[in-house]
Structure formats: C-alpha cells, structure tokens
Amino acid sequence: MTGKQLLDDCFLHDKDRLRHHEALTILKDRLTAVATVETVRLEAALERVLADDLSAPRNVPLADNSAVDGYAFRHGDFDEAGGFFRLEQRIAAGQSGGAGLAPWGAAQIFTGAVMPPGADTVAMQEDCEQHQQDGQDFVIVPQGLRKGANCRLAGEDVAEGTTILSAGQRLRAQDLAAIASTGRAEVPVFRKLKVALVSTGDELRRPGDLITVGDVYDSNHFLLRALCATLPVEIEDLGIVRDDGALVTATLKEAADRFDVILTTGGASRGEEDHVLRALDGLGTRHMWQLAIKPGRPMMFGSIGNCVFLGLPGNPVAAMVCFLLYARPVMSVLGGGPFLAPHSFQVPAAFEIPRKKPDRREFYRAFLKPGPDGKPEAHKFMRDGSGLITGLREADGLVEIPEEATSVTQGELVTFLPFSSFGMR
C-alpha cells in the first residue's frame, strides 16, 4: 500500500467546471508519489519506475579494447607509407592485455580484447598481410589509418561516476542493458500501485453471460484493464456493482482500505441511479468534478482516506479519453514516475466543424492519411457519439480543439495526439 499520505489539499479548487489545462496544473502541482520502494533483480525490473539515481561505479568499458579482429600497434611507429610490424603476441577477449609492445611491435588481437600497454590503434585483419621471415612473423599494415582507429577507450560509453539513469524513469530494455554493463544485479524501484477496477450499472454483463434487451456487455472493464497494462500497476477486478447505493458505498469503503487507487466507470453524473458520486461524498472527499471538456465532462477525482479515487464516465469513448488525459498521468505520479504528458504535433485538418461551443476543449477520434502533397492530414471519425467503440478502433489518435475555437475549417492546422504517445500500440 501507500508509503506516505497524499497532500490534504491535493486537488482542492474553487471552480465548478475546470478547464483542461487548469485540471492538469492542479494535478501536476499537488500530487506526490505514494508507492514505497523495493529492490528487485535486474531481470524483473523491465517497465518498473526507478526509485533512486544510478551512477556508474566503474568505467564502461573497463579498459581500452579492440573494436575488431586485427592487429594492435603504436601509431607513433606508423608512417604514411604503411608499416611493417613484428608480431609479438596474441590477445583474445577475456585476457588481461599482455605485455607492452616494443617499437615496431604488433599484437594480433580479437574483438573485445584488452589493448596491450602502449598500443593505441588497430588495423582490421582483412586489410593486413602476414609474412614470415627468418622464423619471425610479421604483419604489413596499410597506409592511411588514423590514430585510435578501431580502438574503444576505457569509459568511452560511460565514465566512472556518471549518472546513467535518474529516479522516476521507467526502465526500458536499453536501460537494463546500461545498468547491466556497470555490473549492478539489483535496482531500487517503486512498488507497483495496487489498483481496484470497478464497473457499475444494473445493465452490465460480462462477455460469456446471457444478454437480453436493455443489457450491455461491460467493454469498459477490458478497455481500462488493457490501458492500465501500459503502467506499472497491479489490477484487481472487483466486478460489476449493481445500482444500489448501499452496495456501492460498501464496495468503495472496503476497496479504500486495500488499494492505492480505485478506478470506476459509470455513476459519475447527477442522476438518481448515479450512486458512485454520492458514495464518494459520503466516504471521502470529492476534489474535482465536471470538467470543461468533451467527451468526459463528469470526470471525478477524489480520495477516501489515503486511497485516490478516479471516477471515469460510463461511455467507452469518454472513459478512454479521460483515462489517457488524467488517470494515466495521475497513476504515474502516484507510482513514482513523471506526470505523463502526450507528445503532439500540428497537421492540416481534412475535415470541417462548422460550429463548436466555446469555452470547452474537445477531443475527436482521428486518423492520419497522406494528403494530395503526400504529407499527413488528420481525418476525423465521421460520428461523434461517446458510445461508439468503432471510432476508437479505427482512430490512431485524438485531435484536440482548444476552448477559444468556435469552428474548424478544412486545411486548418490542428493538434494531433497519437495514441502511441500514451503508451498504446
């Protein structure tokens, strides 16, 4: 569970309906990590959040070594016409590097082998010729080699004492390789957040169950479970909770004692059957509700004791948009990571929006296609309904329209947020 209590005023504000950037600023400024720290073996650290800065305890590589199979020599013995070197030793990878070379001496050396003392250049094996004269082996090195050619210097990759990774970074495959190259076998990481996933609604059924008119299969559970997989969290499914105030309250109360985060869908509006909102108000504190965005206006943020509550709308499109924009960065910070802001770029719109309501930020499902000039254009999914999962499936990102806009014209530059920037494939 949690390592430290959330700031008492972590979400507090004095507005009924927050703009998108205001909500992000409050979350970014006032959230803090709650996950405790554990040490794990390197092979178990992939996609975990690093808890402390890591520095290199030694040079990588540890010593000067050869980048190729060839012949090591002192460049000072070399002249523009090439060189005729006496072979004095043979050095394979894993050996210490041998004795120092005499003037015009060379060592046959293999990739990764330690350079002999005094040698600073390696000629590639295929560019050289071996000869024997009076029982002595020689090698002819071609002209034109620069000093230091084919030689990897000690500390060339990472110098001793260099910080290679900072706390809060999510560890990728290449990061594990960098850590392994320094000799570390274990790393300190934040524990995975414990997240309770709750669906609400009498109409919901799970795939495999019988369905009748009026019922809906619970697609949100599988949507959110998959989205949570892009974060270092542990999910527990608390199932579908009926539209019963007492049952919703009991479920949230029990979950708050066991989890770092409760993530719900549905029941976030003002209707008579929206029990999640009232249960949160009775058990804890509702810090933010009603955002000036579309889709996703009834997004809820709150806390029950030390447990953070995230209440997503029930419509799948709104649930996904709110998860990506708000829940994902919140859970990243709680788990010791950064506040995850998506990358975006400007592209021409291949669509029109004749009228848009001002003072509300809107997010449309969209996909990129080459325009007449071969450059990408944003195409909006033709229907805007918040329950249409088809649009999520066909889109490869979101088009973001700011509050001040009242329309969008074809060819106008719009902001595109690719799904890949949210950790999605």
Side-chain angles (χ1 to χ4, degrees), residues 150-224:
N150 302 314
C151 178
R152 296 182 291 213
L153 301 178
E156 180 180 291
D157 188 11
V158 180
E160 181 179 346
T162 301
T163 298
I164 57 173
L165 292 165
S166 300
Q169 290 186 243
R170 190 128 169 237
L171 296 175
R172 305 165 298 169
Q174 55 267 49
D175 299 323
L176 300 188
I179 297 169
S181 74
T182 70
R184 294 186 67 118
E186 297 179 329
V187 289
V189 295
F190 287 99
R191 292 185 183 275
K192 292 184 178 181
L193 283 182
K194 296 183 182 297
V195 178
L197 194 53
V198 182
S199 301
T200 65
D202 286 344
E203 75 281 11
L204 295 182
R205 300 291 182 271
R206 285 289 168 85
D209 294 343
L210 293 176
I211 192 171
T212 60
V213 174
D215 294 337
V216 180
Y217 283 122
D218 183 13
S219 59
N220 280 352
H221 169 78
F222 298 92
L223 172 69
L224 296 175

Side-chain angles (χ1 to χ4, degrees), residues 44-57:
L46 182 64
E47 299 297 341
R48 301 294 295 275
V49 177
L50 189 63
D52 291 311
D53 294 350
L54 294 185
S55 58

Side-chain angles (χ1 to χ4, degrees), residues 323-378:
F323 180 93
L324 296 179
L325 297 178
Y326 308 112
R328 184 170 184 265
V330 164
M331 289 196 283
S332 176
V333 172
L334 295 175
F339 193 90
L340 297 172
H343 301 297
S344 63
F345 51 88
Q346 299 282 298
V347 291
F351 60 89
E352 292 185 353
I353 300 177
R355 296 177 60 187
K356 172 194 165 289
K357 183 177 180 180
D359 299 321
R360 180 176 70 187
R361 188 162 303 206
E362 299 187 354
F363 297 88
Y364 294 94
R365 289 150 286 171
F367 52 91
L368 299 181
K369 289 176 61 177
D373 60 358
K375 297 179 180 179
E377 295 178 333

Side-chain angles (χ1 to χ4, degrees), residues 42-100:
L42 196 54
E43 54 266 30
L46 182 64
E47 299 297 341
R48 301 294 295 275
V49 177
L50 189 63
D52 291 311
D53 294 350
L54 294 185
S55 58
R58 55 186 61 84
N59 284 331
V60 181
L62 193 59
D64 296 354
N65 67 89
S66 177
V68 298
D69 292 345
Y71 300 92
F73 59 94
R74 294 187 302 199
H75 195 271
D77 295 336
F78 195 52
D79 59 41
E80 293 183 0
F84 194 74
F85 290 89
R86 182 177 57 258
L87 276 177
E88 297 182 346
Q89 51 186 298
R90 180 183 185 276
I91 309 172
Q95 296 178 349
S96 63

Side-chain angles (χ1 to χ4, degrees), residues 196-206 209 216 218 220-221 236-255 258-259 262-268 273-277 279 283 309:
L197 194 53
V198 182
S199 301
T200 65
D202 286 344
E203 75 281 11
L204 295 182
R205 300 291 182 271
R206 285 289 168 85
D209 294 343
V216 180
D218 183 13
N220 280 352
H221 169 78
E236 184 171 327
D237 176 20
L238 299 190
I240 298 170
V241 181
R242 300 192 312 276
D243 288 325
D244 179 288
L247 182 58
V248 171
T249 298
T251 300
L252 297 186
K253 182 179 180 181
E254 188 272 338
R258 296 199 295 122
F259 295 93
I262 299 173
L263 185 63
T264 69
T265 56
E273 297 300 322
D274 293 321
H275 301 288
V276 176
L277 183 66
L283 292 171
F309 177 87

